[in-house]
Amino acid sequence: MSATEDLAHSLQRGCEALGLVLQPAQQRQLLDYLALLQKWNKVYNLTAVRDPAEMLRLHLLDCLAVVSPFTRAITDRLAAGLAPKVLDVGAGGGLPGVVLAICCPQVQVHCVDAVAKKMAFVQQVAAQLPLANLHAHHARVEALQEQYTLIVSRAFASLADFVQLTQPLLAPGGAWMAMKGRQPEDEMAALPVGIEVFHVEPVTVPGLDAERCLVWLRPDSRGV
């Protein structure tokens, strides 16, 4: 079995373990993204992980593990008449933004990062795969003007910093989704008045023996 076939097999096994049904074209896009990440990483240092199999396990599967809860949240907000528009803050090389854009083509995914080379890479990914629903913004998050239904982050900042930086960008009825390791009790206790954690969702990543969770937040009834 070639290295490419081995990666494809590992991806398929991971999707099955997650109960995630992806089209063959989507699986190819994920593998093409992985290949681009490996290629650009040699020059742009997008991730400290170098081995493609480890990239798949630590990055792709980690992000694929949140696709089902993400999709449920989008479906709920579509039912409420909200636009399927998402912001990935501190997106780096596009994790989880690129993965979400591949798995959820009905969602407009906007990635923002202050590092130009990282957003140049995401632009290249959008052009090559191609992903018409993936958008890259080289900017500080404070400079953005639009509003988003869901605002997501992966290893970006503390929960308090995350919501304070993006608070003006959250559309009415929207929510924040923070990808974390173990449940961040200290960060949750330090949230500003007007923000509530309405759900903490354990996440299991295939092949990874480490705690993961999603922290869901929203403005509470007192307002922000």
Side-chain angles (χ1 to χ4, degrees):
M1 185 180 291
S2 70
T4 300
E5 289 172 332
D6 192 44
L7 287 172
H9 187 55
S10 295
L11 176 61
Q12 178 62 35
R13 287 202 315 269
C15 288
E16 289 172 357
L18 291 167
L20 193 60
V21 179
L22 297 180
Q23 298 300 316
Q26 292 173 305
Q27 294 192 35
R28 284 195 298 273
Q29 285 179 315
L30 287 167
L31 293 170
D32 288 346
Y33 169 56
L34 189 67
L36 285 171
L37 187 61
Q38 184 187 11
K39 177 182 177 181
W40 280 57
N41 201 44
K42 294 173 183 176
V43 178
Y44 278 11
N45 194 30
L46 298 168
T47 169
V49 182
R50 302 293 177 184
D51 178 66
E54 287 296 280
M55 284 183 177
L56 189 146
R57 186 172 69 93
L58 297 174
H59 290 324
L60 281 195
L61 292 182
D62 189 55
C63 292
L64 285 168
V66 309
V67 167
S68 291
F70 171 83
T71 302
R72 288 196 299 270
I74 286 293
T75 301
D76 289 346
R77 279 153 184 81
L78 282 172
L82 300 177
K85 189 174 177 184
V86 172
L87 179 65
D88 177 10
V89 180
L95 297 159
V98 171
V99 175
L100 297 177
I102 290 171
C103 296
C104 307
Q106 78 279 20
V107 178
Q108 296 297 315
V109 179
H110 296 254
C111 294
V112 62
D113 201 286
V115 180
K117 64 184 180 182
K118 294 179 178 179
M119 290 300 92
F121 170 68
V122 173
Q123 285 180 325
Q124 186 68 19
V125 169
Q128 279 195 232
L129 290 190
L131 292 167
N133 65 325
L134 178 64
H135 314 275
H137 304 275
H138 168 222
R140 295 185 65 82
V141 67
E142 303 94 318
L144 298 182
Q145 300 293 323
E146 298 183 45
Q147 289 195 315
Y148 301 87
T149 310
L150 282 178
I151 301 178
V152 306
S153 71
R154 177 179 185 255
F156 168 64
S158 70
L159 292 177
D161 287 345
F162 174 43
V163 299
Q164 286 175 330
L165 281 169
T166 58
Q167 181 181 316
L169 307 178
L170 188 69
W176 291 277
M177 183 187 90
M179 296 173 65
K180 292 288 185 178
R182 66 178 56 189
Q183 185 165 320
E185 299 287 357
D186 291 347
E187 292 185 28
M188 291 162 59
L191 283 168
V193 172
I195 302 296
E196 67 173 352
V197 174
F198 66 91
H199 186 38
V200 178
E201 188 166 359
V203 174
T204 300
V205 180
L208 190 62
D209 185 21
E211 290 185 58
R212 291 285 189 272
C213 72
L214 287 178
V215 181
W216 295 92
L217 311 103
R218 64 189 173 197
D220 69 19
S221 57
R222 292 171 293 178
V224 179

